[in-house]
Amino acid sequence: FRACAELDFEHTLESKMNNELDFVVVVRDNAILLAEFERAVKIKLDRALALVGTASETDERLQLVQVAALYCFIRRIAPAKSEPDPKLYRSVWSIEKHVPVITLVGGRALPFFVADFLLEHAPPPPNVLLKKIEPLPNALDNTRREACKRLDSHFETQNQ
């Protein structure tokens, strides 16, 4: 993820015929592109969360990983002077409340924590009050522990 996010997406494309500069690809200042990425995050997030925990759930938890990655990517390519949408940040952070851990499987099971991923790749913007995000960053361990206990008790009742 880091290798992709750190690529330079703004470079000049050169003509192969005569090595002249043809045009510059504008990514950071492309408000329409960034707005579409944000809209995609909202749509994918709403669709995935609507099915998580239902009988119709298939790969929605993995889609939540994609949502978190896309959000971090947007933050990476956005202009430094732009203020991230605090409501969108809280929405992506709220994945942790609904799904405290996502298991990634690929030869072995790896836990993925959305809040930890956000803290590393897209820290809370200055305009987000940490008191308004749930669960609070300092309460993540307790929240995850409680969620595991709930899953354990649910598993026990299902298998009796």
Side-chain angles (χ1 to χ4, degrees):
F1 174 77
R2 181 173 284 134
C4 176
E6 291 176 355
L7 286 174
D8 180 16
F9 291 98
E10 301 214 8
H11 62 279
T12 305
L13 296 179
E14 297 178 14
S15 170
K16 290 185 179 183
M17 297 292 285
N18 53 11
N19 244 2
E20 292 180 19
L21 300 180
D22 284 338
F23 59 92
V24 175
V25 176
V26 178
V27 175
R28 288 188 186 280
D29 293 324
N30 190 333
I32 295 170
L33 176 68
L34 294 173
E36 284 300 309
F37 273 143
E38 286 183 2
R39 191 171 76 82
V41 166
K42 291 174 189 172
I43 290 170
K44 286 181 71 69
L45 179 62
D46 291 343
R47 286 182 182 165
L49 285 179
L51 292 174
V52 166
T54 68
S56 302
E57 180 180 350
T58 54
D59 67 343
E60 283 71 24
R61 291 172 195 259
L62 293 178
Q63 290 176 23
L64 292 173
V65 174
Q66 295 170 2
V67 167
L70 182 57
Y71 176 78
C72 292
F73 179 73
I74 294 167
R75 289 277 305 276
R76 170 66 175 92
I77 65 170
K81 65 183 179 286
S82 70
E83 295 248 345
D85 180 5
K87 186 176 178 184
L88 183 58
Y89 188 85
R90 284 192 298 270
S91 295
V92 176
W93 182 275
S94 76
I95 294 171
E96 184 83 21
K97 181 172 54 176
H98 299 284
V99 186
V101 61
I102 299 170
T103 304
L104 304 177
V105 180
R108 63 179 182 195
L110 298 172
F112 179 83
F113 302 104
V114 172
D116 293 349
F117 185 77
L118 286 175
L119 288 172
E120 181 178 345
H121 297 287
N127 55 352
V128 170
L129 296 175
L130 290 180
K131 296 175 189 170
K132 289 190 174 187
I133 58 176
E134 280 187 50
L136 293 170
N138 58 0
L140 287 172
D141 288 338
N142 289 337
T143 305
R144 292 172 185 160
R145 197 171 295 115
E146 290 170 14
C148 287
K149 287 178 183 176
R150 281 194 310 272
L151 288 172
D152 284 347
S153 66
H154 179 69
F155 181 74
E156 289 171 2
T157 58
Q158 291 289 328
N159 292 315
Q160 287 181 357

